[in-house]
Amino acid sequence: MFPHLSGLTLPCAPSRAGCTVRAFAWHPHTNKFAVALLDDSIRVYNSNSATVPSLKHRLQRNVAAMAWKPLCASILAVACQSCVLVWHLDPTSLSTRPSSGCAQVLSCPGHSPVTSLAWAPSGERLLSASPVDTAMLVWDVSTETCVQLQWFGGGGVTYLAWSPDGSKVLAATPSAVFRVWEAQMWTCERWPTIRGRCQTGCWSPDGSRLLFTVLGESVIYSLSFSEYRGEMQGQVGGSKTASIVADLSETTFETLYGEERIGGEVHSMVWDPTGERLAVIIRGHPESPNSQPAVAVFRTRNSPVFELLPCGFVRGERGARPQLISFHPCFPQGALLTVCWSSGKISHIPFFFVGALEPHASPRRSPVPVPAWHPRASPPSGAPHTCTGAGCAAPAPIKGGFSLPLLSSP
Amino acid sequence: AARAVIGRCQARRRRGRCVLGWRVAAAITWSVLLLPICTAAFIILSGLDPFHPVRWISNSFNDLYTSYVIFCIFLMSMVIIIISIFNIEFYAVVPSIPCSRLALIGKIIHPQQVIHSFVHAIMGMLVTWCATVMTKGRFQFLAVSCTPSEGLEDAVPQMCLNEYHLFFLLSGAFLGYSYSLFYLINNMNYLPFPIIQQYKYLRFRRSLPLLIKHSCVESLHFVRNFCVTYYFFGYIPKVWICTTMDLHTDGKLHPLDTLSGLLDLSLFYHTWLSGVFLLMTWYIAWLLFKIYATESHHFPIQPTFAQETDQCLPKILNSNPPLLIKFLALQDLMLLSQYSPVRRQEVFSLSQPGGHPHNWTAISRECLSLLSDLTQRLIAQQEAAAAANGRAKPPVGELKVPPQTPEDMSFQSQRSNIVLRASMSPLVKPSLMPVKTSPGSDVGSPFSSPALNYKMGVVDIKSPWHGPVQSPHVMRRGPKLWTSVSDQQMNGSHHESFPVLSAARTGTEAVQPRFIYTWLQNKQEQIKTFLSKRALIMYFFSKHPEASIQAVFSDAQMHIWALEGLSHLVAASFTEDQFGVVQTTLPAILNTLLTLQEVVDRHFKLPHVSSKPPRISGSLVDTSYKTLRFALRASLKTALYRITTVFGEHLNAVQVSTEHKKRLQQFLEYKE
């Protein structure tokens, strides 16, 4: 029915074997995250509270994405098969089963399945998109009104990313083209790619640089934008061409377990809010048995010149593949990477460093990154574990499910 | 040019007439330019002949250049201009929401609306006349020659009435009237501002499919209604036309006010098509006006030349311009605070000689006074609701408004008003203090209206038992008279001193005109209560709770922008405000926002207040004013979070009352 969607794989399609977590979302301001499970229920974990609310709704089918509303205590938008559900959770409530009356249903005919969501960083608007619908919707959630952003050609939208400064939005399509919208007058720039569709992308904290990857290529592209001033209404201001900043083709690494081959296409990519760490899920070659998916972490710097240096790999239990990665939006001591593994575990990997923007030089930052493997080095639970150049982080003990061991507030 | 126009309007202070200036001109020009395209589409569709497509197309294109089509286009341009003028005269940024059915009827028979309907009916007739001329065929002329009935073979041909033509003309008038009625009922004169900024062309393109669909469906409904009306009353105009123009009826033709006459598919199709044509051209004019009028306007913050002072954002916000200008200014404030660091810098700047933060002071003062106006209005409405619910008085001091620090008082004198009013018993309240209500608010609580306070003083003066004898004691106990008249009577304070009496007498004279007013009001109330017991009257008089709530929040768009603008500016000031001008007003801003937050929270806990917005169908008619209160609630919370997120722990150093400090702490912990 939709030929252009044939090659499309959602981040976690139910058919994909070994997929256990459908979606994951950190709250932008607090130590709280939501996890969508395979049975389409959503659990909300909070470091300050033992109650784990479980959200269920009869329209909550095929959850593909979740996003917490910024500048708000507890509003969670969920992309479902037929609609966008907006849960209004009471942060002080002790109930474990919020009633479905707490959920607002945002639906628009022809706009399904919804697979990607993005809140404006100012918290006022919500974007929703579907790979089937050519229109992207801008919602005013409080009044449940929407505006369609329509264009011609390129199909729907498979991936949305709103830049942290709120000025631009990346919208990837199922065809070999992606668009960058400017979020004031909502005009867009069209970017054709050479080989395939844009798989994933992420913005630098100031919204001046976009890193993206393309299906079928094992490189990371960078696209820089002129600094946003607000005076150039209706201009996106992208540079002429994107440049390759990293080549991730397959390489052999010496590890404690012998040689391992890592490299290939990038499955997803996240940039931490300080702009100092970039985490990438590299999908291994499906043909060669040695190669397996891995999470690679890079150290990045955005100014005065863009720099991207390898930092290390994050590895889970044997056989566990990383599926979703996300950075904690406000981790004070550096960056906190959360990885959802195919084994159903979620691990938090902290990176302790002092931001480059700080006036004093960091004594803890070593100049040379040490890619190191420490698999199963931390009993009893065999947690995934990494070392950064800044020193080893405490392993995250994960006990059969989800926990927030590292986030107990001091 | 826009600045000049707005400047002139400022000078003239005329109600929103010339404000739109070039915007209106552009809107009209575009709608007139689009008219030939619509006409071409109409001509092609009206000649529809699916069996001979080539002939159909070539005929239609030949028709396009004929002189009568060009004349029709000219005539319809005039119609479009007149319709646009009506759009301009009737637009409103704050919708007027009839709270009861009687109010709605009152609106329909209001002379202004009657003129509107009448002119639209005439215009509808003109458009359908053009449509018949362009359709040609059997609809074209009102009078056609016909042979009289069979009996007389040698009869001369005579003029007969072409009922189809009459049917068309009447349908046009009916459509025009219906359009005018729906324009009123659906509040189509309301100018909703879009939730995102977009270029005009894109907005138009986005609405066009909706517009076409809406016109088709509406036209179908209208034509159906018209057929029913014609079936019952069609003979009246027919006979009238026949007698005045001395025309005969053609016996061979079916009369149209019968079932078989109306079941004419071609007639129905052509009527419907001309209806679609009429509605589309009118809706396009309306849509373009809406798009042009709500386009954001760039106001300068600081004048580059001395004579431009009047057009600056702070000046406009603080003066009392036409509402549309005020809306545009607030919208611009919201946009600049969010997107433009350069213009924010101008807001935070100091005046050149003197070093005063005039821009910031003016902007924040206006925003805060808007917000406290709303607070006040909501308190009044809540009191009224509480009174209507049968509670004797709302709990005193429920609001817990803190004592004001001196700088707060100086900053917003109005808020003190709220404090006092909230902390006093409603019956003894406001006679001493001026009750300030915003211009748009017609919602006064019965307790806060000055009339009632005079009533208290008046009733005892009038009451026969006391005569002229008034003691200060009794006066003080005035409010109690409502409940304990007999008590007073028995006490009978006959032995009071005379100086007091004379004082009371002078007081009586002063109060006299008010007394009459009050008496009238009393009577009015009595009549109302008497009538309200009759069911039919009740039907018309009963207030729809949802409508009254909508009315309270009808201008909330202003407050939403004020909140957004203020909070973005304050948040930006954390890094951008070099001179610390925002710091001085931060306590006042926090106080206002937190007080409003409490009041809005309480509002949503009132009975009859739904906590979820009604579903808005994606139709052409915008009903966003119905959901403004939800938008206000959301942006208020977001505004507070925006400030607390940016300032974080620093807010503990800001002077606010303990109550508000607690609330702020909740916000800092993301627990609101």
Side-chain angles (χ1 to χ4, degrees):
Chain A
M1 192 173 175
F2 300 106
H4 63 286
L5 297 177
S6 53
L8 183 73
T9 49
L10 296 177
C12 188
S15 57
R16 264 181 67 200
C19 186
T20 45
V21 176
R22 283 179 184 269
F24 177 92
W26 272 109
H27 189 274
H29 309 288
T30 56
N31 288 333
K32 179 157 70 175
F33 63 79
V35 181
L37 304 180
L38 206 57
D39 64 346
D40 284 317
S41 70
I42 294 173
R43 304 209 172 172
V44 179
Y45 294 85
N46 191 341
S47 69
N48 298 328
S49 134
T51 38
V52 180
S54 165
L55 313 179
K56 285 181 186 168
H57 195 283
R58 74 191 157 78
L59 292 172
Q60 199 165 289
R61 295 263 166 274
N62 291 335
V63 174
M66 291 187 295
W68 290 93
K69 181 179 177 181
L71 300 178
C72 187
S74 231
I75 291 182
L76 179 70
V78 183
C80 306
Q81 174 69 35
S82 59
C83 61
V84 179
L85 281 179
V86 180
W87 285 94
H88 293 249
L89 306 172
D90 183 359
T92 53
S93 157
L94 293 172
S95 141
T96 52
R97 271 298 302 274
S99 81
S100 54
C102 301
Q104 246 178 312
V105 182
L106 308 178
S107 62
C108 185
H111 192 69
S112 76
V114 184
T115 56
S116 28
L117 286 177
W119 282 97
S122 64
E124 275 142 9
R125 304 281 172 263
L126 173 70
L127 266 181
S128 74
S130 158
V132 181
D133 189 7
T134 52
M136 201 161 74
L137 300 188
V138 185
W139 289 94
D140 183 347
V141 172
S142 55
T143 60
E144 298 186 6
T145 44
C146 69
V147 172
Q148 297 195 337
L149 295 175
Q150 195 107 31
W151 63 76
F152 300 108
V157 173
T158 52
Y159 181 81
L160 278 178
W162 206 311
S163 70
D165 69 332
S167 61
K168 286 180 277 291
V169 179
L170 163 73
T173 65
S175 58
V177 68
F178 68 92
R179 286 184 171 78
V180 178
W181 290 82
E182 159 273 327
Q184 189 182 353
M185 295 302 286
W186 292 99
T187 52
C188 65
E189 257 180 16
R190 193 170 166 275
W191 286 88
T193 58
I194 299 163
R195 290 209 34 196
R197 65 187 172 85
C198 173
Q199 168 77 25
T200 178
C202 55
W203 291 93
S204 66
D206 61 351
S208 65
R209 185 173 294 277
L210 171 70
L211 299 183
F212 67 93
T213 63
V214 170
L215 200 71
E217 289 182 51
S218 50
V219 291
I220 300 177
Y221 288 98
S222 154
L223 191 57
S224 63
F225 292 84
S226 50
E227 205 185 330
Y228 187 71
R229 296 235 124 262
E231 264 50 75
M232 36 167 216
Q233 276 201 349
Q235 287 170 38
V236 185
S239 54
K240 291 273 173 267
T241 51
S243 54
I244 295 176
V245 290
D247 186 355
L248 304 176
S249 45
E250 211 170 51
T251 328
T252 310
F253 288 89
E254 275 301 326
T255 67
L256 292 177
Y257 291 101
E259 286 190 352
E260 293 206 31
R261 298 182 66 77
I262 292 179
E265 280 175 25
V266 172
H267 172 61
S268 76
M269 184 161 63
V270 285
W271 210 337
D272 93 303
T274 58
E276 306 240 349
R277 293 290 182 277
L278 178 78
V280 173
I281 296 183
I282 303 175
R283 196 188 283 160
H285 258 285
E287 285 83 31
S288 63
N290 272 343
S291 123
Q292 48 179 288
V295 178
V297 180
F298 296 90
R299 273 177 42 197
T300 50
R301 197 185 336 162
N302 207 18
S303 67
V305 280
F306 180 72
E307 256 181 29
L308 188 123
L309 298 169
C311 178
F313 295 106
V314 175
R315 169 163 189 175
E317 288 174 315
R318 183 151 292 272
R321 292 183 316 277
Q323 286 184 325
L324 301 166
I325 47 175
S326 169
F327 272 108
H328 188 293
C330 54
F331 188 64
Q333 292 102 358
L336 179 75
L337 178 67
T338 304
V339 186
C340 303
W341 303 94
S342 58
S343 60
K345 294 191 174 176
I346 295 178
S347 51
H348 302 290
I349 300 121
F351 298 80
F352 294 108
F353 58 87
V354 176
L357 296 173
E358 305 282 322
H360 52 275
S362 156
R364 290 200 296 165
R365 266 178 66 208
S366 63
V368 185
V370 188
W373 296 94
H374 287 260
R376 303 182 178 279
S378 53
S381 58
H385 172 204
T386 188
C387 273
T388 68
C392 270
I398 305 252
K399 294 177 196 105
F402 314 112
S403 62
L404 255 180
L406 287 165
L407 293 175
S408 49
S409 51
Chain B
R3 258 183 226 175
V5 170
I6 285 175
R8 244 180 290 134
C9 299
Q10 285 281 302
R12 283 196 227 158
R13 288 284 151 84
R14 279 177 51 197
R15 194 201 141 273
R17 288 278 162 76
C18 60
V19 174
L20 299 162
W22 67 274
R23 294 183 177 216
V24 166
I28 294 179
T29 314
W30 274 111
S31 33
V32 169
L33 285 180
L34 286 173
L35 186 65
I37 298 171
C38 296
T39 316
F42 172 76
I43 289 175
I44 291 171
L45 285 177
S46 72
L48 188 66
D49 185 1
F51 301 110
H52 307 94
V54 179
R55 200 175 65 189
W56 163 40
I57 299 286
S58 64
N59 275 354
S60 309
F61 276 97
N62 286 339
D63 284 350
L64 284 183
Y65 308 108
T66 46
S67 58
Y68 55 86
V69 167
I70 290 169
F71 173 71
C72 283
I73 288 179
F74 176 74
L75 198 65
M76 283 187 295
S77 311
M78 292 296 130
V79 171
I80 292 291
I81 290 171
I82 291 170
I83 296 286
S84 301
I85 290 171
F86 269 91
N87 283 338
I88 297 153
E89 288 294 317
F90 276 75
Y91 85 90
V93 279
V94 178
S96 73
I97 299 160
C99 291
S100 61
R101 291 176 183 87
L102 192 71
L104 183 63
I105 295 171
K107 268 175 80 177
I108 292 174
I109 56 170
H110 191 274
Q112 229 184 0
Q113 177 59 29
V114 170
I115 293 173
H116 189 270
S117 303
F118 181 71
V119 173
H120 275 77
I122 300 278
M123 292 300 131
M125 218 184 248
L126 267 179
V127 173
T128 36
W129 181 79
C130 292
T132 55
V133 168
M134 290 186 298
T135 314
K136 298 190 295 184
R138 55 181 176 153
F139 309 117
Q140 198 170 357
F141 300 106
L142 184 61
V144 284
S145 60
C146 59
T147 46
S149 46
E150 305 83 25
L152 312 156
E153 262 122 45
D154 55 341
V156 280
Q158 52 177 219
M159 294 312 277
C160 281
L161 173 74
N162 182 4
E163 198 178 348
Y164 293 112
H165 189 84
L166 180 70
F167 184 82
F168 254 85
L169 289 190
L170 289 176
S171 80
F174 187 85
L175 254 73
Y177 180 73
S178 306
Y179 171 89
S180 160
L181 203 63
F182 274 68
Y183 187 84
L184 173 86
I185 290 172
N186 291 334
N187 264 326
M188 280 166 68
N189 61 343
Y190 168 60
L191 291 182
F193 285 81
I195 61 169
I196 54 171
Q197 302 298 307
Q198 261 187 313
Y199 285 110
K200 293 186 287 282
Y201 164 67
L202 292 174
R203 281 182 69 190
F204 181 72
R205 200 187 70 181
R206 184 154 53 77
S207 309
L208 201 57
L210 261 182
L211 187 143
I212 294 172
K213 190 183 141 207
H214 188 79
S215 312
C216 294
V217 174
E218 286 276 272
S219 173
L220 202 64
H221 290 165
F222 289 162
V223 169
R224 180 200 61 195
N225 294 351
F226 174 68
C227 286
V228 173
T229 320
Y230 193 82
Y231 178 72
F232 286 112
F233 305 107
Y235 67 94
I236 303 172
K238 199 164 78 178
V239 170
W240 184 70
I241 291 276
C242 283
T243 46
T244 45
M245 295 183 69
D246 194 21
L247 292 173
H248 302 270
T249 42
D250 194 343
K252 274 178 271 176
L253 287 174
H254 252 304
L256 281 179
D257 53 349
T258 56
L259 271 182
S260 50
L262 282 174
L263 283 174
D264 182 343
L265 203 62
S266 140
L267 176 74
F268 189 81
Y269 171 70
H270 280 106
T271 323
W272 173 78
L273 194 67
S274 63
V276 173
F277 175 63
L278 176 146
L279 289 177
M280 260 187 61
T281 48
W282 291 7
Y283 279 137
I284 284 176
W286 166 78
L287 181 70
L288 283 169
F289 170 70
K290 257 189 5 175
I291 289 175
Y292 269 93
T294 54
E295 196 197 3
S296 65
H297 179 76
H298 200 93
F299 292 91
I301 305 280
Q302 272 172 326
T304 11
F305 302 106
Q307 66 266 28
E308 279 179 9
T309 330
D310 280 353
Q311 301 142 37
C312 290
L313 189 63
K315 254 289 185 343
I316 286 178
L317 283 178
N318 276 296
S319 60
N320 215 353
L323 264 182
L324 181 66
I325 295 288
K326 191 147 190 170
F327 269 65
L328 288 174
L330 281 164
Q331 188 190 31
D332 190 43
L333 174 71
M334 182 271 289
L335 290 174
L336 85 88
S337 68
Q338 202 168 350
Y339 296 113
S340 174
V342 180
R343 295 177 71 203
R344 280 200 296 258
Q345 208 53 57
E346 283 181 51
V347 174
F348 299 139
S349 68
L350 299 179
S351 65
Q352 204 29 267
H356 296 287
H358 287 310
N359 293 335
W360 166 251
T361 320
I363 287 172
S364 59
R365 192 201 299 130
E366 179 54 27
C367 289
L368 287 181
S369 83
L370 269 176
L371 295 178
S372 10
D373 268 354
L374 181 69
T375 314
Q376 220 167 331
R377 215 191 310 162
L378 285 179
I379 289 176
Q381 194 239 5
Q382 282 165 16
E383 280 175 4
N389 266 0
R391 278 195 280 161
K393 44 176 117 170
V396 173
E398 196 180 85
L399 193 63
K400 296 177 197 132
V401 180
Q404 301 275 300
T405 52
E407 58 264 38
D408 285 356
M409 295 290 274
S410 65
F411 200 82
Q412 359 151 222
S413 56
Q414 296 186 9
R415 258 176 44 73
S416 60
N417 210 342
I418 307 163
V419 181
L420 292 168
R421 292 182 58 209
S423 55
M424 279 178 177
S425 150
L427 288 181
V428 277
K429 231 177 346 188
S431 54
L432 293 177
M433 51 186 112
V435 180
K436 233 182 162 182
T437 46
S438 71
S441 78
D442 49 352
V443 223
S445 96
F447 288 117
S448 63
S449 73
L452 194 97
N453 302 296
Y454 294 126
K455 210 186 281 179
M456 296 165 200
V458 164
V459 167
D460 49 353
I461 288 168
K462 194 209 166 198
S463 78
W465 304 301
H466 307 296
V469 208
Q470 290 292 324
S471 74
H473 179 64
V474 174
M475 287 294 270
R476 223 178 299 126
R477 282 168 53 189
K480 280 194 181 165
L481 284 174
W482 287 104
T483 50
S484 55
V485 171
S486 54
D487 199 279
Q488 292 278 326
Q489 190 187 6
M490 275 163 43
N491 287 347
S493 45
H494 283 286
H495 316 291
E496 298 294 332
S497 58
F498 282 90
V500 177
L501 169 67
S502 61
R505 271 200 178 138
T506 49
T508 318
E509 277 149 29
V511 152
Q512 202 62 40
R514 283 167 191 154
F515 158 65
I516 292 168
Y517 173 68
T518 321
W519 183 81
L520 279 175
Q521 269 215 331
N522 264 340
K523 280 285 159 217
Q524 196 188 345
E525 281 300 318
Q526 277 175 12
I527 292 169
K528 260 191 193 170
T529 40
F530 170 75
L531 288 178
S532 65
K533 287 180 187 123
R534 310 295 180 277
L536 182 69
I537 307 282
M538 193 58 193
Y539 175 80
F540 288 114
F541 268 106
S542 63
K543 279 198 169 185
H544 195 260
E546 173 69 19
S548 5
I549 294 166
Q550 283 169 16
V552 180
F553 286 95
S554 59
D555 62 346
Q557 184 67 63
M558 275 204 292
H559 305 105
I560 292 169
W561 282 331
L563 279 169
E564 286 182 6
L566 210 56
S567 64
H568 275 292
L569 282 175
V570 170
S573 79
F574 191 71
T575 50
E576 293 175 13
D577 178 14
Q578 297 166 4
F579 309 107
V581 294
V582 175
Q583 281 177 30
T584 51
T585 39
L586 196 53
I589 291 172
L590 285 175
N591 268 329
T592 313
L593 294 193
L594 288 169
T595 316
L596 183 58
Q597 165 77 21
E598 281 172 50
V599 175
V600 168
D601 271 359
R602 278 202 308 169
H603 172 84
F604 278 95
K605 284 179 192 147
L606 286 180
H608 307 304
V609 177
S610 62
S611 59
K612 276 192 179 177
R615 300 237 19 107
I616 292 178
S617 54
S619 86
L620 187 69
V621 178
D622 201 296
T623 51
S624 56
Y625 59 88
K626 289 183 181 165
T627 50
L628 276 177
R629 60 183 186 280
F630 302 101
L632 179 88
R633 178 176 62 170
S635 38
L636 179 57
K637 214 161 233 185
T638 309
L640 273 163
Y641 269 117
R642 189 170 293 132
I643 296 175
T644 54
T645 306
V646 169
F647 279 78
E649 292 302 313
H650 299 287
L651 281 183
N652 292 331
V654 178
Q655 280 198 338
V656 286
S657 69
T658 34
E659 282 299 323
H660 283 171
K661 202 151 243 172
K662 266 188 210 155
R663 204 76 199 248
L664 273 183
Q665 197 54 43
Q666 297 257 298
F667 273 100
L668 284 170
E669 289 167 6
Y670 292 94
K671 284 190 175 157
E672 263 303 315

